[in-house]
Amino acid sequence: MVYDTRIMKADGEAVAEAARLLKSGEVVAIPTETVYGLAANAFDENAVGRIFQAKGRPQDNPLIVHISRLEMLYDLAAEIPDYALKCAEVFWSGPLTMIFPKTDKVPYVTSGGLDTVGVRFPASAAARAIIDACGFPLAAPSANLSGSPSPTSAMHVYDDLKGRIPCIIDGGSCAVGVESTVIAFEEDGVRLLRPGFISAEELEDVVGKVYIDKGVTSQLPENIKAASPGMKYKHYSPKADITIFRGSADEYREYAKTLGKDLWCMVFDDGDMNGLDLPHICYGKTSEEQAKLLFDTLRELDKRGAKKVLARCPDTNGVGLAVYNRLLRAAAFRVVGNDE
Ligand code: AMP
Ligand code: MG
């Protein structure tokens, strides 16, 4: 089916139209504070199947289920550890996804065949209004074509999914810009499966012990079962070949000069170029700015026809770990320069 994809500004009428489509088993792209999500009724196998179809997403890559009231969690999670309620109190509504054993109500299509389900309570008012108007939780992965950078504006969604979905609700550009932090519970704390805006440091203050999963900063061997299945796939990739350079601005420029004229530089700010005569894009000085700009920058590089890119390595503290985690995957784990 080919749709005439509509973009609607996120007002009351758009919320009602999104809910009407979602109730009839359709998918709708919705804004959240992290990235745009491609939503469907989490309890409806056929509707959820359409998400996988529209994105070209592998069936074993689980979806995050979004709620707008804490009571909704009890329909989804079969067990809720005390730590989870503590995290919910501090970080919800917000960009934190928690993994629970799933109830029978959650179809295996939604959980990617797993016995667990990831649940998030978004802060975005538009997202919450749409979930409220539906009255059921929404399964929603990022609203991009599988493998490409996540969408942080309605136009990014349109570029990827026009003709494949009926409607995009436009809530402007996403405040956070990278996907949610994903955690699972352990006896004595939590395991960070995917870094996001809620940092390991912040989690530590609430739950004590935070184990960082190996998959966060290293490439998982092909045959290993990933704790966070999304991390094993080729991800966030622009068409350009990206390499990350670790080192000072001076060292970056010296190295960039050796790579030739067709190189694009992905730097923090104009100052990094300091006279270096190569095309460049700035992706922000602070980790928060970089989180917000990263995916747009990756898409912009494609638009401008970049083939070869050298990116300055972000700081990896706080939300910087999320930026580094996404950039590493976009760069297929190519890192050069100084050791850590
Ligand atoms: P996306 O919304 O496109 O970022 O994809 C959701 C990601 O959340 C998946 O790719 C997984 O990495 C993670 N996730 C969702 N549900 C689970 C789960 N039950 N167990 C582990 N990771 C999950
Ligand atoms: Mg995604």
Side-chain angles (χ1 to χ4, degrees):
M1 162 127 191
V2 178
Y3 292 97
D4 183 13
T5 307
R6 263 181 311 158
I7 302 182
M8 296 181 78
K9 199 167 167 298
D11 55 15
E13 194 188 324
V15 168
E17 177 59 5
R20 187 190 68 76
L21 287 164
L22 289 161
K23 283 179 187 169
S24 74
E26 283 289 353
V27 299
V28 175
I30 63 168
T32 83
E33 73 277 22
T34 56
V35 302
Y36 276 72
L38 186 59
N41 180 351
F43 294 138
D44 179 342
E45 285 184 353
N46 289 328
V48 170
R50 289 183 164 171
I51 295 178
F52 285 90
Q53 217 177 0
K55 281 181 57 94
R57 184 177 174 103
Q59 299 285 337
D60 63 347
N61 193 355
L63 309 181
I64 291 169
V65 178
H66 294 68
I67 59 176
S68 57
R69 283 174 292 111
L70 193 58
E71 304 92 82
M72 293 171 104
L73 176 61
Y74 295 85
D75 276 343
L76 302 164
E79 277 164 51
I80 304 174
D82 289 344
Y83 277 144
L85 290 174
K86 236 168 142 181
C87 288
E89 208 178 297
V90 178
F91 300 115
W92 277 0
S93 61
L96 178 70
T97 296
M98 299 192 254
I99 310 291
F100 303 96
K102 76 172 193 67
T103 62
D104 292 339
K105 271 190 97 168
V106 180
Y108 279 105
V109 195
T110 301
S111 70
L114 300 173
D115 291 319
T116 54
V117 61
V119 184
R120 179 163 113 74
F121 188 142
S124 152
R128 280 155 56 179
I130 293 167
I131 303 167
D132 274 341
C134 287
F136 46 73
L138 295 177
S142 51
N144 51 285
L145 280 176
S146 199
S148 76
S150 298
T152 54
S153 72
M155 234 27 227
H156 293 166
V157 181
Y158 189 76
D159 287 342
D160 273 20
L161 299 180
K162 64 175 167 294
R164 301 170 80 101
I165 60 173
C167 186
I168 300 167
I169 307 300
D170 184 355
S173 64
C174 300
V176 171
V178 287
E179 305 86 340
S180 57
T181 305
V182 178
I183 58 169
F185 296 94
E186 308 246 325
E187 283 289 293
D188 58 342
V190 302
R191 177 167 297 274
L192 182 71
L193 302 182
R194 179 176 76 180
F197 193 75
I198 308 287
S199 65
E201 294 86 338
E202 282 173 287
L203 284 163
E204 228 159 50
D205 286 342
V206 176
V207 299
K209 189 87 199 129
V210 178
Y211 300 95
I212 311 261
D213 198 76
K214 259 211 166 98
V216 168
T217 52
S218 56
Q219 192 165 22
L220 296 166
E222 295 234 328
N223 52 1
I224 209 164
K225 194 164 170 283
S228 180
M231 293 283 106
K232 79 180 175 195
Y233 293 106
K234 184 172 144 65
H235 230 128
Y236 318 119
S237 309
K239 292 180 191 79
D241 279 338
I242 300 186
T243 302
I244 299 172
F245 182 85
R246 197 180 273 140
S248 69
D250 288 344
E251 290 162 337
Y252 173 89
R253 284 191 300 274
E254 283 312 306
Y255 188 79
K257 276 183 208 160
T258 67
L259 296 181
K261 277 284 164 207
D262 60 340
L263 181 74
W264 273 78
C265 297
M266 186 174 150
V267 292
F268 301 154
D269 65 357
D270 288 327
D272 287 347
M273 297 305 288
N274 194 20
L276 183 64
D277 184 22
L278 288 170
H280 72 281
I281 302 191
C282 302
Y283 79 106
K285 276 173 85 144
T286 65
S287 297
E288 284 75 14
E289 275 171 5
Q290 290 168 358
K292 211 173 158 173
L293 291 177
L294 179 70
F295 289 134
D296 185 66
T297 304
L298 296 177
R299 284 175 180 266
E300 192 58 34
L301 285 164
D302 274 351
K303 275 200 188 137
R304 301 203 201 168
K307 298 280 178 292
K308 201 165 74 172
V309 177
L310 188 68
R312 275 205 77 187
C313 187
D315 180 66
T316 57
N317 294 307
V319 63
L321 186 61
V323 177
Y324 182 58
N325 168 275
R326 307 308 190 274
L327 188 56
L328 259 182
R329 281 162 177 80
F333 292 88
R334 279 183 299 266
V335 184
V336 298
N338 304 328
D339 290 338
E340 271 172 287

